[in-house]
Amino acid sequence: MVDWNLAVATATRLVRPGPEVSRDEARAVVAELRRHAKASEGHVRGFTRMGTEETHDTPVLVVDRPGWVRANVAGFRELLKPLLGKMQERRGNTPGGAVLGAVGGKVTGVELGMLLSFLASRVLGQYETFAPATRDLPAGENGGGRLLLVAPNIVHVERELDVEPHDFRLWVCLHEETHRTQFSAVPWLRDHLEGEIQSFLAETDVDPMTVLERIREAAQTLAGGRPEGEEDDGGRSLVELVQTPAQREILGRLTAVMSLLEGHADFVMDGVGPDVVRTVGEIREKFQQRRAKGASRLDLALRKLLGLDAKLRQYRDGERFVRAVVDEAGMDGFNRVWTSPNTLPTKAEIAKPADWIARVHRRSET
């Protein structure tokens, strides 16, 4: 269904070059990011009161844009195995399915590579929850996982914002280290999230060509094949190919979890910031302006198609939830959210933190 090697090759060929830096500057950036990632562990543990030094078994990798592509393709390939196997079986039962699969796999590989080349220049850092270990990309021993810091993108944004580079690099590391702490300090979280995703994929009853056509639309937009002002049908994103009520329910729970995780990371990076990042106020203000301003119409169209506009809402809504709960119940009161899947907030509770406080704290007190 997908030629993964071709996807990597295509993305690597098309990805934009990073900012100009000398060899010595590049080495210095990599070394500093590694130092900041290590220092962030203690800062995040102290602020969140989560985990210990022994909880981290996942590596920190400072990568370039092609390195980010390779890591994500490995993760996608692992996570999507059940769905792609189902789609392959369906196609194999149709006349000429094997030939169509071979051709379609290459087409989809090229188009997926185009999308990854677009994203590879925008991601500052990422905790890969489901990453399998590869020869070039190590992962944690207990179920995978690795923290990626994309050095060229961090340098590009710090220059674009005209902020103090050392402060900005530490600020980014604080955010990503929070995600690493969330999964390493809460052992059940990874399995819970994977279970929800696999349940969602198991419910999928989509004609393979429908999924491939959605990828093709995104790639055509990226390549300029569709006028920038023209809407895709219904303005739906890739993640909105929801066919059943069960999938809508699962997607609601996933949205709530992702809002919690992203909002918590934003809250922590700003909470730790004043003590260790001298210019955190300036960085946050300029970064928020950059998020709000967006970019070209083409960039905005792709954000919509890929669901990235939803991710921006998750940062905002989740951070509001965390802040409201911490203000009302304190950090220890908020940390009850990590007790079990039953104490995670619902999508409705993300919007109304008082309802989560009433449910979880009242239950624990009875």
Side-chain angles (χ1 to χ4, degrees), residues 83-138:
L83 175 62
L84 293 180
K86 182 179 179 181
M87 293 169 66
Q88 186 71 38
E89 182 179 354
R90 175 180 291 190
R91 171 167 280 184
N93 293 330
T94 62
V99 175
L100 287 172
V103 175
K106 292 190 178 301
V107 172
T108 307
V110 169
E111 292 170 343
L112 178 59
M114 294 173 69
L115 293 178
L116 288 170
S117 72
F118 169 79
L119 294 171
S121 62
R122 285 157 172 75
V123 177
L124 301 181
Q126 175 185 356
Y127 183 77
E128 279 200 295
T129 314
F130 309 109
T134 67
R135 183 179 61 184
D136 300 322
L137 294 163

Side-chain angles (χ1 to χ4, degrees), residues 62-83:
V62 181
V63 298
D64 57 9
R65 291 169 178 176
W68 179 88
V69 169
R70 289 192 295 271
N72 275 265
V73 166
F76 289 154
R77 191 172 189 169
E78 186 72 17
L79 193 61
L80 295 178
K81 271 182 182 178
L83 175 62

Side-chain angles (χ1 to χ4, degrees), residues 14 53-54 70 73 95 103 125 131 143 152 188 205 282 296 314 365:
L14 295 179
E53 291 186 17
E54 288 71 36
R70 289 192 295 271
V73 166
V103 175
W188 55 264
D205 189 20
E282 177 190 358
S296 67
Q314 287 170 2
E365 292 165 1

Side-chain angles (χ1 to χ4, degrees), residues 271-286:
V272 172
D275 291 332
V276 298
V277 182
R278 180 178 55 83
T279 59
V280 64
E282 177 190 358
I283 291 172
R284 168 55 74 186
E285 181 180 358
K286 290 184 175 180

